[in-house]
Amino acid sequence: MTELANDPAVSNALLSLFGGYLHNDFVTPAGIGDPCEYAKELDTRIDIIADCLQRFQSAAALRLSQLRRQRNTLIPVNRLHVEILNQIFLETMAVDTKPWFEDDTYYVRLFRLSGVCSFWSSVIADQAALWTRIDPESHPSLVSMALERSKEVLLKVGGPLDTSDEPEDNGRMRTEHFLARWTSSVKRWSEAIQIEVKNSDYLFPLTLATAPQLRKVNLSSRHRMSNECDLFQGHAPLLDEFAIAYLIPKWTSKIFTGLRSLKLESTCIPFTCLENILRACPTLTSLALIGVDVRVSNEFELSTIELTPNFVSSLVQITTKHVYDGIIIPLFSRLTFNRLLEVDISRTGYIPDQDPAFLDLVFSAILPGWRDVLEHTTPESAVLSLDQWELHFYTVPSAIRVKLSGSKYPDTVDRFVQWMGPLVQPVCDTLILGQHISDGVFSSIAHCLDAFPSVKHLDFLGER
């Protein structure tokens, strides 16, 4: 402070600003004529000097900010073109261990970047792609800022609309407020991920048919609903990923012609509709059915399904859990697979006399795809894991995988050895035995060891 006070430039600035009010004309009490008048004069001088000092501080702070901003432009990173700096920011914000719709710190990190300097703040504010993540539960001011700064760029909307802890009226009012706020932006949605509602009735005003750019949809309800909801009104031209849980959409194969991924959980769908979707989607590579009620009108419908011609499926991954065997078997029998690499089936409604036929369907389905992979690549390792009622085979790194739960030993192992043994024998180097292996299964284990002499590691899980 002393050096600053002794600086001639600063002294001259103070003198020119405060004028004659800085001279020392202190009068002793003995020389004061009228104390009241003199007090008024001193108060006036105090007010003037205080005002001048405040104006000087404001001017000095402004100039200091300008100098710092000018100095920051000389930092190497700030001398980059704005387009390059924008790309650095995009890459920085993309480094994340969570999916974007589960990342509640995204805007916290973005504002920290903005706070580095005013130049970065202006660049980030003008980069529309950084402001496309919208969470329904964010503060309204943040939502408004993101909508404004994202300009016309497509939006990713994600996050639960959680009204579970609120009274029904408050929850409905809050949801209607959300829908009203988003009505104008739905046309810019490209992803609607992890949108969770308490009641499917709230979704009816939120028609996704007005989102022509929509590519990914993941919707769920907190409770399973029995009423159909017409989300797309027969129109979803670019939709390629669709996941739904505890909701029943109005099914039509016409709107799913370009799907790459379909995941249904705790919902219901007519068998014929599911088959029509599979037929209408030549690009579908991933199918997951979890706790799905695949409905048939009567046994005659299943018998007529067997008479329909087979069709080639492009599926690479299939997951089914808690889906009745009587549905999976005719579905698999209608499909011809060329690229199926990963299968995870947890069987329900086990039918003993159909077990060999079921296993034959599964292994014959994955055989062409596995043969293509193993003929062109050699995995670092291949693991066969056996536990009570479960067989799991996979390669490292991940390329092919089959997991069957609920199938009876020794049929599962025998069929696996019969179908896949010659193909995987050269690469299978690890055998893992689960802690629930019963004595009756050890004959199957011996069968595996005979079939796969390439096994070098035998591991046991749990105590024995």
Side-chain angles (χ1 to χ4, degrees), residues 386 391 409-418 444 447-448:
L386 301 177
L391 178 146
Y409 283 113
D411 290 341
T412 307
V413 175
D414 292 342
R415 281 300 198 277
F416 178 77
V417 171
Q418 175 183 335
S444 296
H447 190 184
C448 284

Side-chain angles (χ1 to χ4, degrees), residues 287-363:
L287 172 66
L289 305 175
I290 303 173
V292 176
D293 179 12
V294 183
R295 295 180 175 177
V296 293
S297 56
N298 49 50
E299 292 298 325
F300 175 74
E301 182 178 348
L302 277 179
S303 64
T304 57
I305 288 172
E306 297 179 359
L307 301 177
T308 59
N310 284 23
F311 59 98
V312 178
S313 171
S314 58
L315 284 169
V316 177
Q317 299 175 323
I318 292 181
T319 300
T320 68
K321 296 182 179 181
H322 311 298
V323 179
Y324 182 53
D325 266 9
I327 296 297
I328 298 299
I329 291 176
L331 180 64
F332 264 69
S333 65
R334 305 281 15 99
L335 302 174
T336 299
F337 299 97
N338 292 327
R339 301 170 50 205
L340 188 59
L341 302 179
E342 299 185 33
V343 173
D344 185 351
I345 297 179
S346 179
R347 301 180 64 185
T348 300
Y350 174 69
I351 306 173
D353 59 349
Q354 292 187 1
D355 199 55
F358 178 85
L359 295 170
D360 288 343
L361 279 174
V362 173
F363 292 133

Side-chain angles (χ1 to χ4, degrees), residues 185-190 207-215 232 235-238:
S185 70
V186 171
K187 64 181 180 180
R188 294 169 52 200
W189 288 13
S190 66
T207 169
L208 301 180
T210 58
Q213 302 295 325
L214 197 61
R215 296 181 180 274
F232 303 101
H235 182 71
L238 300 181

